[in-house]
Amino acid sequence: AGALTFGALSLAAAAGLYMRSRARRRPRKAGDKVVLVTGGTGLVGKGIQAYLKDNAAAGETWIFLGSKDGDLRDMEQTKAIFERHRPTHVIHLAAFVGGLFNNLAHNVEFFRYNMLMDDNVMECCRIFKVEKLVSCLSTCIFPDKTTYPIDETMLHNGPPHNSNQGYAYAKRMIDVMNRCYRQEYGCKFTAIIPCNVYGPHDNF
């Protein structure tokens, strides 16, 4: 249930190893998979959609959510999304993000908003008996003072850079809660840490 480190070009393919298909609604059959992608209209979500165009599989439905589909900081709205789609698998990409100066000025909001989203998604995955949850972390969560090369075992060896500590600590908590949910409830929650992410649909 620990975090796994992946390069940028393999991120969409890595997600595809867990689940595949297209985002369209159809009657559910026994054994079908419904994959819910939060933050599905962003850079990585669009990358997964592009990957799936040539890698669709039968018996699976992909649903890509954007902010217009509900506020994941609100538990009732999050529950309504899960109730509506009844996912068997979830890829959690949604996050409250911003540039350097926005992080510096709003560390509290970056921590609180991301913690709320992550907590609601994880708890709904437990409540609705999701088979597997895969969350996306960030390299900014690694310790500011470290040695190289780095890997996921070094994630909690020191504080992150103070310029984005609110965001970084919230993302670190995903790794912590993945292990807690597995230990207490047996949930299959994990996370990937892309080394770098860039490409079409990036927001500069």
Side-chain angles (χ1 to χ4, degrees):
L4 304 175
T5 306
F6 285 86
L9 296 180
S10 66
L11 182 60
L17 292 177
Y18 290 109
M19 331 87 178
R20 310 153 80 184
S21 184
R22 286 287 288 166
R24 64 177 184 274
R25 297 292 290 152
R26 56 182 174 75
R28 179 93 62 92
K29 298 178 181 178
D32 280 3
K33 295 178 181 178
V34 176
V35 186
L36 184 69
V37 183
T38 71
T41 59
L43 170 63
V44 178
K46 291 287 188 182
I48 295 174
Q49 291 184 52
Y51 172 81
L52 292 172
K53 286 180 180 178
D54 299 318
N55 295 275
E60 299 175 353
T61 299
W62 284 66
I63 300 157
F64 292 88
L65 298 178
S67 56
K68 63 177 174 47
D69 296 300
D71 187 348
L72 296 177
R73 295 171 297 180
D74 182 88
M75 186 53 156
E76 292 309 310
Q77 292 189 47
T78 307
K79 280 184 178 179
I81 289 170
F82 276 72
E83 181 67 43
R84 181 162 63 252
H85 297 295
R86 291 283 173 170
T88 60
H89 297 72
V90 173
I91 298 179
H92 180 38
L93 306 176
F96 183 71
V97 298
L100 173 62
F101 293 106
N102 201 12
N103 271 277
L104 284 167
H106 303 289
N107 266 300
V108 171
E109 286 74 22
F110 277 92
F111 181 81
R112 291 189 65 250
Y113 293 169
N114 283 294
M115 285 292 293
L116 287 168
M117 279 191 280
D118 301 338
D119 183 59
N120 290 341
V121 168
M122 285 183 161
E123 182 62 1
C124 281
C125 284
R126 182 191 70 81
I127 292 170
F128 288 87
K129 296 179 171 53
V130 167
E131 295 177 25
K132 176 165 275 187
L133 164 66
V134 182
S135 299
C136 186
L137 308 186
S138 169
T139 53
C140 75
I141 68 179
F142 281 104
D144 181 34
K145 308 297 183 184
T146 190
T147 56
Y148 294 91
I150 56 177
D151 62 41
E152 63 274 11
T153 65
M154 304 161 69
L155 185 59
H156 302 284
N157 287 356
H161 194 274
N162 62 12
S163 63
N164 66 340
Q165 60 182 336
Y167 178 82
Y169 274 119
K171 284 294 184 180
R172 279 191 188 186
M173 289 302 102
I174 290 178
D175 178 62
V176 173
M177 291 305 292
N178 280 343
R179 288 182 273 114
C180 290
Y181 269 100
R182 176 177 287 273
Q183 180 184 30
E184 185 170 347
Y185 297 108
C187 297
K188 294 182 179 179
F189 294 175
T190 190
I192 57 176
I193 309 174
C195 298
N196 200 357
V197 178
Y198 57 90
H201 309 288
D202 205 349
N203 181 2
F204 298 102

